[in-house]
């Protein structure tokens, strides 16, 4: 291609980018402006100037957020309806050969090792079916701090190596110090082993990706030398509780138009979601040395939501980042309960609010700044909505408790009538609800077109809308509290995400939702007595809060989720016809669970000589030994000797067990003593 042709092509592509972004953001601004002009006319005329400005400001922020979602989804629907691919990226020819090895990385932190290793084994066998397994190496990158899970990971690694296809490598490494959490874990891999690979595919502990998708991602990287990140939108599968099944159905039906809408205006300036994506190692090493933010947590310290920042840094480095809705076969799981979902949201909230410090960094691409703003607003929108409701309710209560003054001190011929446009307020409310709900039916249309076996989808959509409306005010209060806690300096700890289907206990539900229930009852009573005209309008919000405890309890139950599945509610195609890779993952998980011994931790190492040798051999790979006090080591050794000599219970603290695991001479001597007795 000549230089002039390339310049012309670049100019055409840049014009396309400008046109798409002008459409989405222009329509967002225009619709927000028109709605705001109408809102100005419906605010009660007797409101104070401060109240008017506050109501207008909160309305703009709330409506603009709704409007961006609406127009983005609308363009996403139109793109999917016309089967249009994301422009600007070259798709490989069918059968294009792979030219390099790719590392498949699964960072884990105190996860169930049977599930994580089973997923990697299933992916490896899926690659073997299409004879592409030799181009991939698999890595478990452990940041596990629980000593029993650490030993279990090593034991499961030995078993997993037996189940992997021939000539496929699965490596395991555990860091002694969890510097910078997941981002530091991946950075450590790049520093030590990244030079051996051109690309790396990042997975989460619950991620599954089919072999054709993995191969396609590598082919795309090979074909597009400018690409730094390619993100495959993950779909939720393997959900059993009612809450998880609702989220799974919503993601399967509405997710595609949301992803397509984002890809429509982002094109090569897309974001990265932290997993189920391929990254060019060279781009990551060159650009993604993440800073430690100045100050104390929650705003300072290591960056929690590192994925947004890594995408922005790679884009700043001149590489492109792509979200490609065309890439199917990418899966993840959903938290099983509303409380688990909120716990994960708390970490994301702190991470996204940290981006306030990153937002004004030098030389970032404008779209990267928009990504940060959207991420920040995804959590600030809840307290903004809450403030909007409080101010509106306060105005209504003020009018009810303190009637307006019709005759002022200045004598006039006619009374001063306060003006309140009730019809206009209702119209804006209906418009807002339409913009929130209509995209769901657009997603349903695409879903019905693509899936012939989609009976029950319509009724499930209506039920999902009702249940989501009831859960929305609960999540609003959760997120508002998260924001308040962060703004007042309360940081979040790094906890393992719950992936089990145990359900929420009544005690936990009562503890987490007591204030939600109390607030719902109090608001209902106040409105009923002092602002009756708002009673029915507030009911969707107050009902969700009043019944937050039973909603949280019932939606957490697997048996209710299975009942819904039996009656064809919230079913997705992947349940009607289970993907082969999910079948394989479940099979290998069962095999690994069956091979797991009853003993754990130090005791398992003492009884399994092969595993003990492996553990000791791996210690230098894990990095420098942490510092343990002589008292901790001595106390742990005494307990171990008593266990061996007197058959007592080995009651070790976490630190004592870690100390033993880092002292091979103690483990070896104890193993010899056990054999002699």
């Amino acid at each position: 291609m000549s230089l002039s042709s390339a310049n012309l092509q670049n100019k055409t592509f840049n014009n396309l980018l400008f046109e798409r972004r002008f459409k989405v953001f222009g329509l967002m601004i225009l619709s927000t402006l028109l709605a705001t002009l109408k809102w100005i006319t419906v605010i009660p005329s007797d409101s104070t100037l401060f109240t008017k400005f506050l109501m207008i400001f909160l309305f703009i922020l709330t409506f603009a957020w709704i409007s961006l979602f609406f127009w983005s989804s609308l363009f996403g629907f139109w793109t999917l309806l016309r089967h249009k691919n994301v422009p600007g990226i070259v798709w490989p020819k069918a059968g294009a050969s792979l030219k390099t090895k790719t590392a498949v990385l699964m960072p884990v932190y105190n996860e169930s090792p049977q599930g994580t290793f089973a997923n990697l084994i299933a992916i490896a066998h899926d690659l073997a079916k299409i004879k592409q397994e030799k181009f991939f190496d698999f890595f478990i990158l452990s940041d596990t701090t629980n000593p029993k899970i650490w030993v279990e990971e090593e034991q499961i690694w030995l078993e997993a190596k037996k189940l992997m296809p021939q000539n496929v490598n699965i490596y395991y490494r555990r860091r002694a110090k969890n510097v910078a959490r997941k981002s530091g874990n991946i950075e450590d891999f790049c520093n030590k082993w990244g030079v051996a690979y051109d690309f790396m595919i990042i997975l989460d502990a619950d991620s599954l990706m089919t072999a054709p998708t993995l191969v396609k991602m590598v082919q795309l990287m090979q074909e597009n030398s400018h690409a730094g990140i390619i993100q495959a939108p993950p779909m939720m599968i393997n959900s059993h509780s009612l809450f998880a099944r609702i989220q799974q159905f919503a993601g399967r039906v509405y997710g595609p138009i949301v992803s397509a809408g984002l890809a429509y205006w982002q094109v090569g300036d897309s974001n990265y979601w932290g997993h189920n994506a391929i990254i060019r190692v060279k781009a990551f090493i060159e650009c993604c040395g993440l800073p430690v933010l100045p100050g104390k947590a929650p705003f300072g310290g290591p960056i929690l939501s590192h994925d947004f920042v890594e995408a922005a840094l790679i884009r700043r480095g001149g590489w492109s980042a792509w979200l490609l809705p065309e890439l199917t076969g990418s899966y993840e799981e959903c938290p099983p309960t509303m409380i688990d979902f909120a716990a994960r949201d708390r970490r994301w909230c702190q991470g996204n609010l940290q981006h306030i410090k990153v937002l004004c960094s030098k030389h970032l691409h404008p779209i990267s700044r928009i990504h940060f703003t959207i991420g920040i607003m995804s959590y600030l929108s809840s307290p903004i909505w809450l403030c909007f409701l409080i101010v509106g309710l306060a105005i209504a209560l003020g009018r009810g408790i303190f009637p307006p003054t019709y005759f002022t001190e200045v004598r006039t011929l006619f009374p001063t009538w306060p003006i309140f446009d009730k019809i206009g307020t209702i119209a804006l409310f209906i418009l807002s609800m339409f913009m929130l709900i209509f995209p769901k039916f657009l997603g349903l249309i695409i879903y019905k077109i693509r899936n012939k076996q989609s009976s029950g989808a319509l009724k499930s959509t209506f039920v999902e809308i009702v249940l989501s409306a009831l859960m929305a005010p609960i999540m609003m209060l959760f997120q508002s509290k998260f924001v308040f806690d962060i703004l007042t300096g309360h940081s979040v700890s790094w906890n393992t995400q719950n992936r089990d289907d145990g359900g929420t206990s009544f005690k936990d539900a009562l503890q987490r939702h007591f204030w939600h229930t109390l607030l719902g009852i109090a608001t209902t009573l106040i409105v009923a007595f002092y602002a009756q005209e708002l009673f029915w309008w507030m009911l969707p919000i107050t009902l969700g809060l009043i019944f937050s405890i039973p909603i949280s309890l019932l939606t957490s139950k697997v048996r209710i989720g299975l009942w819904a599945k039996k009656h064809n509610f919230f079913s997705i195609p992947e349940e009607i016809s289970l993907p082969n890779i999910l079948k394989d993952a479940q099979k290998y998980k069962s095999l690994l669970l069956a091979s797991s011994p009853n003993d754990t931790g130090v005791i398992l190492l003492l009884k399994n000589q092969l595993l003990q040798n492996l553990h000791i051999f791996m210690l230098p790979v894990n990095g420098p030994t942490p510092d343990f006090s002589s008292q901790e080591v001595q106390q742990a050794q005494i307990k171990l000797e008593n266990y061996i000599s007197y058959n007592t219970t080995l009651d070790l603290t976490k630190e004592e067990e870690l100390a033993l695991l880092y002292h091979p001479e103690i483990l070896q001597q104890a193993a010899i003593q056990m054999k002699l007795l």
Side-chain angles (χ1 to χ4, degrees):
M1 183 185 295
S2 67
L3 184 61
S4 59
S5 298
N7 289 337
L8 180 62
Q9 190 174 9
N10 287 336
K11 185 177 180 181
T12 303
F13 180 67
N14 289 334
N15 289 339
L16 175 67
L17 282 183
F18 176 80
E19 179 187 334
R20 288 184 167 211
R21 290 164 185 174
F22 181 80
K23 285 178 182 178
V24 174
F25 290 98
L27 287 168
M28 180 200 80
I29 293 169
L30 180 62
S31 54
T32 303
L33 177 62
L34 293 175
T36 303
L37 291 174
K38 180 60 182 173
W39 176 247
I40 292 171
T41 67
V42 306
I43 298 175
S45 60
D46 57 342
S47 300
T48 65
L49 190 62
F50 173 77
T51 303
K52 289 180 179 179
F53 275 119
L54 183 60
M55 289 294 287
I56 292 168
F57 175 71
L58 293 173
F59 179 85
I60 290 172
L61 292 179
T62 305
F63 196 88
W65 182 247
I66 295 171
S67 183
L68 177 60
F69 164 77
F70 174 78
W71 291 112
S72 183
S73 299
L74 209 62
F75 283 106
F77 167 75
W78 185 242
T79 301
L80 294 178
L81 198 62
R82 296 187 302 159
H83 304 286
K84 291 287 186 179
N85 285 344
V86 176
I89 191 165
V90 179
W91 285 82
K93 295 178 181 178
S97 60
L98 302 186
K99 302 171 184 176
T100 183
K101 269 202 170 186
T102 297
V104 180
L105 312 183
M106 184 176 279
V108 296
Y109 177 76
N110 294 327
E111 303 281 353
S112 166
Q114 291 85 359
T116 55
F117 278 95
N119 285 0
L120 290 186
I121 297 168
I123 293 171
H125 279 281
D126 207 36
L127 286 165
K129 291 174 185 176
I130 59 173
K131 304 188 185 307
Q132 298 294 321
E133 74 279 11
K134 63 181 180 180
F135 294 104
F136 296 85
D137 283 340
F138 294 82
F139 291 82
I140 290 279
L141 304 178
S142 174
D143 263 350
T144 290
T145 56
N146 185 315
K148 297 188 185 302
I149 296 179
W150 173 13
V151 175
E152 191 178 14
E153 286 174 350
E154 293 177 330
Q155 186 268 328
I156 296 297
W157 177 38
L158 282 178
E159 296 300 322
K161 289 176 75 68
K162 301 173 188 176
L163 296 173
M164 292 290 281
Q166 271 191 330
N167 303 320
V168 177
N169 298 314
I170 179 168
Y171 301 101
Y172 170 83
R173 183 274 286 134
R174 174 189 172 272
R175 286 199 301 169
K177 294 185 178 180
N178 311 133
V179 179
R181 300 182 174 90
K182 181 178 176 180
S183 62
N185 202 352
I186 295 171
E187 183 179 352
D188 179 76
F189 166 83
C190 289
N191 290 335
K192 293 178 179 175
W193 301 286
V195 70
Y197 302 94
D198 287 334
F199 317 120
M200 56 183 179
I201 293 171
I202 312 297
L203 302 177
D204 257 0
D206 58 2
S207 294
L208 267 178
M209 296 187 76
T210 62
T213 302
L214 293 176
V215 171
K216 183 67 70 177
M217 292 168 79
V218 176
Q219 290 171 338
L220 283 164
M221 276 291 189
Q222 290 179 170
E223 198 70 33
N224 298 271
S225 58
H226 56 84
I229 297 176
I230 295 176
Q231 175 73 60
M235 290 290 176
M236 285 179 277
I237 56 169
N238 207 27
S239 296
H240 305 293
S241 70
L242 180 61
F243 177 83
R245 289 185 57 76
I246 292 168
Q247 302 304 313
Q248 176 180 273
F249 175 79
R252 190 65 178 82
V253 175
Y254 321 140
I257 69 164
V258 173
S259 298
L262 292 173
Y264 176 83
W265 59 267
Q266 292 174 3
V267 192
D269 305 317
S270 294
N271 215 342
Y272 161 48
W273 300 347
H275 57 92
N276 292 42
I278 187 168
I279 301 177
R280 193 177 299 272
V281 175
K282 182 176 186 292
F284 190 90
I285 292 175
E286 284 180 353
C287 306
C288 293
L290 295 184
V292 176
L293 297 177
K296 295 181 180 179
F299 287 100
I303 296 173
L304 296 183
S305 294
H306 57 90
D307 39 13
F308 279 44
V309 181
E310 286 161 351
L313 293 177
I314 282 179
R315 188 65 193 88
R316 186 175 73 172
W319 305 90
S320 56
W322 301 86
L323 168 63
L324 298 181
E326 299 89 345
L327 292 172
T328 56
S330 171
Y331 305 111
E332 65 175 345
E333 294 181 7
C334 177
T337 72
M338 188 188 304
I339 291 176
D340 291 321
F341 189 90
R344 186 183 70 174
D345 234 25
R346 173 63 177 85
R347 296 192 299 272
W348 287 359
C349 179
Q350 181 171 326
N352 283 20
L353 293 188
Q354 277 184 317
H355 294 163
I356 294 171
K357 284 192 171 184
V358 184
L359 187 59
C360 298
S361 299
K362 294 180 180 179
H363 311 302
L364 291 181
H365 192 281
I367 297 299
S368 296
R369 299 188 197 278
I370 291 175
H371 290 318
F372 287 134
T373 304
I374 290 174
I376 293 165
M377 282 300 301
S378 65
Y379 290 98
L380 290 184
S381 59
S382 285
I384 289 170
W385 180 30
L386 179 60
C387 290
F388 186 75
L389 291 173
I390 291 173
V391 173
L393 184 59
I395 292 173
L397 290 175
R399 294 172 63 83
I401 298 172
F402 305 104
T405 303
Y406 298 102
F407 295 95
T408 61
E409 293 181 1
V410 179
R411 296 182 180 276
T412 58
L413 186 61
F414 299 101
T416 303
W417 296 104
I419 300 172
F420 174 65
D421 185 356
K422 185 177 180 180
I423 302 300
T425 304
I426 294 172
L428 285 174
F429 174 79
I430 293 173
L431 175 63
S432 300
M433 291 301 100
F434 172 80
M435 296 178 80
L436 284 171
I437 295 173
F438 183 64
K440 296 191 175 192
F441 289 100
L442 295 181
L444 181 63
I445 292 170
I446 296 296
Y447 178 78
K448 297 283 281 185
I449 291 173
R450 290 182 169 184
N451 303 284
K452 303 305 178 187
Q453 294 179 321
S454 57
S455 61
L458 182 60
K459 68 178 183 181
S460 298
T461 299
F462 280 110
V463 176
E464 188 276 334
I465 289 171
V466 173
L467 291 176
S468 293
L470 290 172
M471 288 189 282
I474 304 172
M475 292 308 301
M476 173 191 68
L477 290 185
F478 267 133
Q479 292 182 347
S480 297
K481 184 180 183 301
F482 298 159
V483 172
F484 176 79
D485 287 345
I486 291 166
L487 293 178
T488 53
H490 294 85
S491 183
V492 67
S493 57
W494 187 24
N495 297 319
T496 307
Q497 181 176 314
N498 179 36
R499 305 184 195 277
D500 297 326
D501 288 317
T504 300
S505 67
F506 178 78
K507 180 182 177 181
D508 287 340
L510 181 63
Q511 182 180 0
R512 298 302 296 272
H513 299 292
F514 175 77
W515 291 108
H516 300 163
T517 305
L518 198 63
L519 182 62
I521 294 171
T523 304
T524 302
L525 292 175
I526 291 170
V527 170
F529 281 106
Y530 298 106
Q532 292 91 342
E533 69 275 10
L534 290 181
F535 182 82
W536 296 106
W537 296 103
M538 292 291 293
L539 203 57
I541 295 171
T542 54
L543 272 180
L545 295 177
I546 290 170
F547 294 104
S548 57
I549 293 174
I551 289 172
S552 186
L553 273 174
L554 294 174
T555 57
S556 75
K557 303 302 180 186
V558 170
R559 66 176 183 272
I560 297 179
L562 294 178
W563 179 90
K565 181 180 179 180
K566 181 181 178 181
H567 291 82
N568 205 20
F569 281 98
F570 312 121
S571 296
I572 61 172
E574 287 77 10
E575 290 178 323
I576 298 169
S577 178
L578 204 66
N580 289 329
I581 194 167
L582 182 56
K583 292 179 185 176
D584 289 343
Q586 293 172 346
K587 177 182 73 174
Y588 292 120
K589 183 177 180 180
S590 297
L591 291 174
L592 292 175
L593 284 169
S595 69
S596 298
N598 294 326
D599 296 310
T600 60
V602 168
I603 297 176
L604 178 57
L605 291 185
L606 297 182
K607 294 183 178 181
N608 188 325
Q609 187 63 52
L610 175 62
L611 186 59
Q612 183 187 130
N613 292 340
L614 173 69
H615 173 81
I616 293 171
F617 177 78
M618 289 295 293
L619 286 178
V621 180
N622 294 337
T625 301
D627 293 327
F628 296 98
S629 69
S630 57
Q631 184 179 357
E632 274 179 337
V633 177
Q634 187 178 12
Q635 186 68 25
Q637 192 169 6
I638 291 171
K639 289 182 178 180
L640 185 58
E641 289 173 355
N642 289 337
Y643 165 75
I644 295 171
S645 302
Y646 305 109
N647 199 26
T648 59
T649 302
L650 187 58
D651 186 19
L652 297 169
T653 67
K654 175 184 172 182
E655 289 302 315
E656 288 171 348
E657 189 156 14
L658 282 172
L660 290 177
L661 292 177
Y662 273 106
H663 284 78
E665 68 282 356
I666 298 177
L667 294 174
Q668 291 170 329
Q669 184 180 358
I672 293 172
Q673 287 180 332
M674 283 189 67
K675 287 181 181 179
L676 294 176
L677 291 176

